[in-house]
Amino acid sequence: MGRLVLVGAPLGNPGDASTRMREALETADVVAAEDTRRLVRLARDLGITVPGRIVSYFEGNEERRTPELVETLRDGALVALVTDGGMPSVSDPGYRLVRAALDAGLPVTAAPGPSAVTTALALSGLPTDRFCFEGFLPRTGSARRARLAALAAEERTLVFFEAPHRLAAMLADLAGAFGPDRPAAVCRELTKTYEEVVRRPLGGLAEWATDGEPKGEITLVVAGATATPASRPPDDELRDEVAAAERAGSSRRDAITAVAERHGVRRREVYAIVHASGQ
């Protein structure tokens, strides 16, 4: 049985190539590359030879080539999938082939490598404990603004990809939907010679982007919305909830703890309310 290997490629600096990436390219029977010319150039930079058959696998031929690659896997071949940079399937070709291979009962593994998503997130200086990746937003202004309106209350840090010629319009829409003071960072040409990270509020970034069209590959990181504190219920409601929990079989200690956590109130505050009533 063959095997599909998802190969994480350097974002720009060949020095980020892993040993496992080199091995995957050197031992694969077939290498499916988003851009075959870039693959040849990367192999030359790494000083390795790719002896297997090299085929193109990009957005324009994914649908047609996926069944061919699945049949190649069925025949026992080792197939390596590599994109222009980062991990396959993350806003790059790959998902369709992974799904087809799994549906056919064929093994899929990875030689993991760099990712523009996590690299930009780490460099942004914004919270990294919880985040969501939105990839490329709709290209048209109305559809993009509708999507941003739906994301305005998202509390997790947001990561987007965007083309240089649309960045100014996207930042203007972001400032309109999220407010001009929302912290953000534009990460450009990560790991490459002209790497740049611009950290400003969205309003400032929107102005910065109008000074001249930024060049290169861009990842945008935006802080999540600030959570709105829930309103605190009146004392009698907190007291009644504790009493109801006790009637249901909870101890007073557990009932107070549960009510406090449910409403974001300090436990000792609920305790004081209950005991002040003489219950």
Side-chain angles (χ1 to χ4, degrees), residues 79-214:
V79 176
L81 176 63
V82 60
T83 63
D84 293 345
M87 284 299 297
S89 294
V90 183
S91 278
D92 272 331
Y95 169 75
R96 191 191 299 267
L97 180 56
V98 170
R99 189 64 262 164
L102 294 175
D103 289 344
L106 297 162
V108 179
T109 187
S115 167
V117 176
T118 52
T119 301
L121 181 68
L123 289 175
S124 69
L126 298 172
T128 60
D129 53 337
R130 297 173 65 242
F131 72 94
C132 58
F133 174 57
E134 285 291 319
F136 287 95
L137 290 179
R139 297 184 180 187
T140 61
S142 58
R144 182 172 58 240
R145 286 188 289 273
R147 181 61 188 149
L148 290 175
L151 292 170
E154 173 59 63
E155 296 176 13
R156 293 172 293 180
T157 300
L158 294 150
V159 184
F160 304 92
F161 287 161
E162 190 51 279
H165 64 279
R166 291 195 297 267
L167 182 64
M170 178 182 178
L171 286 167
D173 287 344
L174 274 164
F178 294 1
D181 298 327
R182 182 85 70 91
V186 172
C187 304
R188 187 180 71 84
E189 292 290 87
L190 291 172
T191 78
K192 300 177 184 177
T193 302
Y194 298 104
E195 175 180 287
E196 180 181 26
V197 180
V198 184
R199 304 174 184 87
R200 299 181 188 176
L202 284 171
L205 285 175
E207 293 181 8
W208 165 80
T210 60
D211 291 339
E213 182 180 301

Side-chain angles (χ1 to χ4, degrees), residues 3-279:
R3 184 167 48 125
L4 174 63
V5 182
L6 308 179
V7 179
L11 301 177
N13 190 328
D16 294 332
S18 69
T19 301
R20 289 193 61 209
M21 176 194 178
R22 294 169 184 265
E23 292 175 351
L25 296 180
E26 289 179 315
T27 59
D29 299 301
V30 177
V31 178
E34 184 178 10
D35 186 325
T36 58
R37 292 168 299 180
R38 286 200 183 193
L39 172 62
V40 171
R41 186 164 59 248
L42 176 61
R44 184 173 61 245
D45 290 341
L46 297 178
I48 64 173
T49 300
V50 181
R53 181 166 60 96
I54 299 174
V55 299
S56 64
Y57 189 79
F58 60 97
E59 184 179 0
N61 72 357
E62 266 189 290
E63 186 172 358
R64 171 176 58 83
R65 182 137 284 165
T66 293
E68 299 173 9
L69 290 173
V70 170
E71 285 306 310
T72 300
L73 289 164
R74 288 184 196 272
D75 291 338
L78 175 63
V79 176
L81 176 63
V82 60
T83 63
D84 293 345
M87 284 299 297
S89 294
V90 183
S91 278
D92 272 331
Y95 169 75
R96 191 191 299 267
L97 180 56
V98 170
R99 189 64 262 164
L102 294 175
D103 289 344
L106 297 162
V108 179
T109 187
S115 167
V117 176
T118 52
T119 301
L121 181 68
L123 289 175
S124 69
L126 298 172
T128 60
D129 53 337
R130 297 173 65 242
F131 72 94
C132 58
F133 174 57
E134 285 291 319
F136 287 95
L137 290 179
R139 297 184 180 187
T140 61
S142 58
R144 182 172 58 240
R145 286 188 289 273
R147 181 61 188 149
L148 290 175
L151 292 170
E154 173 59 63
E155 296 176 13
R156 293 172 293 180
T157 300
L158 294 150
V159 184
F160 304 92
F161 287 161
E162 190 51 279
H165 64 279
R166 291 195 297 267
L167 182 64
M170 178 182 178
L171 286 167
D173 287 344
L174 274 164
F178 294 1
D181 298 327
R182 182 85 70 91
V186 172
C187 304
R188 187 180 71 84
E189 292 290 87
L190 291 172
T191 78
K192 300 177 184 177
T193 302
Y194 298 104
E195 175 180 287
E196 180 181 26
V197 180
V198 184
R199 304 174 184 87
R200 299 181 188 176
L202 284 171
L205 285 175
E207 293 181 8
W208 165 80
T210 60
D211 291 339
E213 182 180 301
K215 294 180 172 58
E217 296 182 345
I218 292 171
T219 305
L220 177 62
V221 187
V222 183
T226 302
T228 303
S231 58
R232 178 188 178 284
D235 290 0
D236 58 343
E237 288 187 19
L238 293 174
R239 192 162 45 240
D240 290 346
E241 287 189 33
V242 171
E246 288 186 275
R247 286 194 299 271
S250 293
S251 67
R252 173 160 294 186
R253 178 186 180 86
D254 290 344
I256 288 174
T257 299
V259 170
E261 290 179 352
R262 185 183 306 136
H263 296 291
V265 181
R266 289 178 298 180
R267 184 183 179 282
R268 64 174 177 268
E269 186 176 347
V270 179
Y271 178 90
I273 292 169
V274 171
H275 286 272
S277 67
Q279 288 184 357

